[in-house]
PDB file of all heavy atoms in Angstrom:
ATOM      1  N   GLU U 244     134.497 114.128 131.487  1.00 56.00           N
ATOM      2  CA  GLU U 244     133.349 113.549 130.791  1.00 56.00           C
ATOM      3  C   GLU U 244     133.489 112.043 130.643  1.00 56.00           C
ATOM      4  O   GLU U 244     132.513 111.301 130.678  1.00 56.00           O
ATOM      5  CB  GLU U 244     133.203 114.196 129.411  1.00 56.00           C
ATOM      6  CG  GLU U 244     132.022 113.672 128.607  1.00 56.00           C
ATOM      7  CD  GLU U 244     131.941 114.301 127.229  1.00 56.00           C
ATOM      8  OE1 GLU U 244     132.572 115.345 127.023  1.00 56.00           O
ATOM      9  OE2 GLU U 244     131.262 113.725 126.374  1.00 56.00           O
ATOM     10  N   LYS U 285     137.246  96.218 153.956  1.00 92.00           N
ATOM     11  CA  LYS U 285     137.218  94.808 154.342  1.00 92.00           C
ATOM     12  C   LYS U 285     136.475  94.601 155.651  1.00 92.00           C
ATOM     13  O   LYS U 285     135.673  93.662 155.782  1.00 92.00           O
ATOM     14  CB  LYS U 285     138.648  94.284 154.452  1.00 92.00           C
ATOM     15  CG  LYS U 285     138.715  92.799 154.778  1.00 92.00           C
ATOM     16  CD  LYS U 285     140.136  92.308 154.826  1.00 92.00           C
ATOM     17  CE  LYS U 285     140.176  90.814 155.156  1.00 92.00           C
ATOM     18  NZ  LYS U 285     141.575  90.292 155.213  1.00 92.00           N
ATOM     19  N   LYS U 395     101.434 113.679 124.675  1.00 92.00           N
ATOM     20  CA  LYS U 395     102.729 113.392 125.295  1.00 92.00           C
ATOM     21  C   LYS U 395     103.299 114.589 126.042  1.00 92.00           C
ATOM     22  O   LYS U 395     104.005 114.431 127.044  1.00 92.00           O
ATOM     23  CB  LYS U 395     103.724 112.912 124.252  1.00 92.00           C
ATOM     24  CG  LYS U 395     104.044 113.901 123.140  1.00 92.00           C
ATOM     25  CD  LYS U 395     104.993 113.283 122.125  1.00 92.00           C
ATOM     26  CE  LYS U 395     105.369 114.273 121.022  1.00 92.00           C
ATOM     27  NZ  LYS U 395     104.212 114.732 120.254  1.00 92.00           N
ATOM     28  N   ASP U 402     112.222 115.209 132.761  1.00 83.00           N
ATOM     29  CA  ASP U 402     113.226 114.230 133.185  1.00 83.00           C
ATOM     30  C   ASP U 402     114.151 114.808 134.246  1.00 83.00           C
ATOM     31  O   ASP U 402     114.422 116.010 134.284  1.00 83.00           O
ATOM     32  CB  ASP U 402     114.061 113.771 131.988  1.00 83.00           C
ATOM     33  CG  ASP U 402     113.249 112.946 131.006  1.00 83.00           C
ATOM     34  OD1 ASP U 402     112.210 112.411 131.417  1.00 83.00           O
ATOM     35  OD2 ASP U 402     113.658 112.850 129.834  1.00 83.00           O
ATOM     36  N   ILE U 421     121.594 110.909 146.130  1.00 75.00           N
ATOM     37  CA  ILE U 421     120.527 111.818 145.700  1.00 75.00           C
ATOM     38  C   ILE U 421     120.747 112.223 144.247  1.00 75.00           C
ATOM     39  O   ILE U 421     121.862 112.165 143.730  1.00 75.00           O
ATOM     40  CB  ILE U 421     120.461 113.078 146.603  1.00 75.00           C
ATOM     41  CG1 ILE U 421     121.781 113.839 146.548  1.00 75.00           C
ATOM     42  CG2 ILE U 421     120.097 112.701 148.028  1.00 75.00           C
ATOM     43  CD1 ILE U 421     121.740 115.162 147.289  1.00 75.00           C
ATOM     44  N   GLN U 441      82.913 100.468 126.594  1.00 94.00           N
ATOM     45  CA  GLN U 441      84.016  99.950 125.784  1.00 94.00           C
ATOM     46  C   GLN U 441      84.011  98.427 125.757  1.00 94.00           C
ATOM     47  O   GLN U 441      84.194  97.804 124.708  1.00 94.00           O
ATOM     48  CB  GLN U 441      85.350 100.455 126.342  1.00 94.00           C
ATOM     49  CG  GLN U 441      86.581  99.946 125.604  1.00 94.00           C
ATOM     50  CD  GLN U 441      86.700 100.486 124.200  1.00 94.00           C
ATOM     51  OE1 GLN U 441      86.443 101.663 123.948  1.00 94.00           O
ATOM     52  NE2 GLN U 441      87.089  99.649 123.260  1.00 94.00           N
ATOM     53  N   ALA U 457      85.397  87.780 109.223  1.00 93.00           N
ATOM     54  CA  ALA U 457      85.702  89.030 108.527  1.00 93.00           C
ATOM     55  C   ALA U 457      87.182  89.381 108.649  1.00 93.00           C
ATOM     56  O   ALA U 457      87.896  88.881 109.528  1.00 93.00           O
ATOM     57  CB  ALA U 457      84.845  90.156 109.083  1.00 93.00           C
ATOM     58  N   SER U 537      75.389 100.759  84.505  1.00 91.00           N
ATOM     59  CA  SER U 537      74.138 100.435  85.194  1.00 91.00           C
ATOM     60  C   SER U 537      74.234 100.684  86.686  1.00 91.00           C
ATOM     61  O   SER U 537      75.243 100.367  87.325  1.00 91.00           O
ATOM     62  CB  SER U 537      73.767  98.965  84.964  1.00 91.00           C
ATOM     63  OG  SER U 537      73.533  98.713  83.595  1.00 91.00           O
ATOM     64  N   HIS U 542      67.436  94.699  95.402  1.00 87.00           N
ATOM     65  CA  HIS U 542      66.208  93.908  95.243  1.00 87.00           C
ATOM     66  C   HIS U 542      65.911  93.730  93.759  1.00 87.00           C
ATOM     67  O   HIS U 542      65.644  94.694  93.035  1.00 87.00           O
ATOM     68  CB  HIS U 542      65.036  94.611  95.930  1.00 87.00           C
ATOM     69  CG  HIS U 542      63.729  93.893  95.789  1.00 87.00           C
ATOM     70  ND1 HIS U 542      63.477  92.692  96.398  1.00 87.00           N
ATOM     71  CD2 HIS U 542      62.594  94.209  95.097  1.00 87.00           C
ATOM     72  CE1 HIS U 542      62.263  92.293  96.106  1.00 87.00           C
ATOM     73  NE2 HIS U 542      61.698  93.197  95.315  1.00 87.00           N
ATOM     74  N   TYR U 571      70.601 117.905  89.700  1.00 97.00           N
ATOM     75  CA  TYR U 571      71.908 118.572  89.756  1.00 97.00           C
ATOM     76  C   TYR U 571      72.787 118.304  88.532  1.00 97.00           C
ATOM     77  O   TYR U 571      73.932 118.761  88.494  1.00 97.00           O
ATOM     78  CB  TYR U 571      72.668 118.125  91.013  1.00 97.00           C
ATOM     79  CG  TYR U 571      71.998 118.545  92.296  1.00 97.00           C
ATOM     80  CD1 TYR U 571      71.204 117.640  93.008  1.00 97.00           C
ATOM     81  CD2 TYR U 571      72.137 119.826  92.806  1.00 97.00           C
ATOM     82  CE1 TYR U 571      70.572 118.009  94.191  1.00 97.00           C
ATOM     83  CE2 TYR U 571      71.520 120.212  93.986  1.00 97.00           C
ATOM     84  CZ  TYR U 571      70.736 119.293  94.675  1.00 97.00           C
ATOM     85  OH  TYR U 571      70.117 119.674  95.845  1.00 97.00           O
ATOM     86  N   ARG U 590      89.732 116.686 106.441  1.00 95.00           N
ATOM     87  CA  ARG U 590      89.861 115.895 107.661  1.00 95.00           C
ATOM     88  C   ARG U 590      89.157 116.591 108.829  1.00 95.00           C
ATOM     89  O   ARG U 590      88.941 117.807 108.813  1.00 95.00           O
ATOM     90  CB  ARG U 590      91.332 115.702 108.017  1.00 95.00           C
ATOM     91  CG  ARG U 590      92.107 114.785 107.071  1.00 95.00           C
ATOM     92  CD  ARG U 590      93.494 114.546 107.633  1.00 95.00           C
ATOM     93  NE  ARG U 590      94.251 113.574 106.865  1.00 95.00           N
ATOM     94  CZ  ARG U 590      95.207 113.900 105.999  1.00 95.00           C
ATOM     95  NH1 ARG U 590      95.508 115.174 105.783  1.00 95.00           N
ATOM     96  NH2 ARG U 590      95.865 112.959 105.341  1.00 95.00           N
ATOM     97  N   ASN U 641      71.917 115.448 117.059  1.00 97.00           N
ATOM     98  CA  ASN U 641      72.202 116.560 117.969  1.00 97.00           C
ATOM     99  C   ASN U 641      71.559 117.854 117.496  1.00 97.00           C
ATOM    100  O   ASN U 641      72.128 118.939 117.671  1.00 97.00           O
ATOM    101  CB  ASN U 641      73.722 116.731 118.117  1.00 97.00           C
ATOM    102  CG  ASN U 641      74.102 117.625 119.272  1.00 97.00           C
ATOM    103  OD1 ASN U 641      73.408 117.698 120.287  1.00 97.00           O
ATOM    104  ND2 ASN U 641      75.223 118.325 119.120  1.00 97.00           N
ATOM    105  N   ASN U 688      62.318 105.160 110.422  1.00 96.00           N
ATOM    106  CA  ASN U 688      61.569 104.187 109.616  1.00 96.00           C
ATOM    107  C   ASN U 688      62.472 103.150 108.953  1.00 96.00           C
ATOM    108  O   ASN U 688      62.008 102.063 108.600  1.00 96.00           O
ATOM    109  CB  ASN U 688      60.749 104.910 108.548  1.00 96.00           C
ATOM    110  CG  ASN U 688      59.487 105.534 109.124  1.00 96.00           C
ATOM    111  OD1 ASN U 688      58.987 105.090 110.162  1.00 96.00           O
ATOM    112  ND2 ASN U 688      58.982 106.565 108.465  1.00 96.00           N
ATOM    113  N   ASN U 715      85.903  95.821  95.968  1.00 66.00           N
ATOM    114  CA  ASN U 715      86.755  95.563  94.795  1.00 66.00           C
ATOM    115  C   ASN U 715      85.951  95.469  93.506  1.00 66.00           C
ATOM    116  O   ASN U 715      86.208  94.624  92.658  1.00 66.00           O
ATOM    117  CB  ASN U 715      87.563  94.284  95.008  1.00 66.00           C
ATOM    118  CG  ASN U 715      86.660  93.060  95.188  1.00 66.00           C
ATOM    119  OD1 ASN U 715      85.506  93.195  95.574  1.00 66.00           O
ATOM    120  ND2 ASN U 715      87.190  91.882  94.890  1.00 66.00           N
ATOM    121  N   LYS U 844      92.471  90.624 149.428  1.00 84.00           N
ATOM    122  CA  LYS U 844      91.572  91.655 149.915  1.00 84.00           C
ATOM    123  C   LYS U 844      92.284  92.992 149.926  1.00 84.00           C
ATOM    124  O   LYS U 844      93.503  93.069 150.021  1.00 84.00           O
ATOM    125  CB  LYS U 844      91.084  91.328 151.335  1.00 84.00           C
ATOM    126  CG  LYS U 844      90.198  90.103 151.457  1.00 84.00           C
ATOM    127  CD  LYS U 844      89.755  89.895 152.911  1.00 84.00           C
ATOM    128  CE  LYS U 844      88.869  88.665 153.044  1.00 84.00           C
ATOM    129  NZ  LYS U 844      88.457  88.441 154.462  1.00 84.00           N
TER     130      LYS U 844
END
Side-chain angles (χ1 to χ4, degrees):
E244 181 182 343
K285 183 178 180 180
K395 61 183 182 299
D402 292 339
I421 60 174
Q441 178 68 41
S537 297
H542 178 69
Y571 295 99
R590 290 187 174 102
N641 194 31
N688 282 336
N715 61 337
K844 294 181 180 179

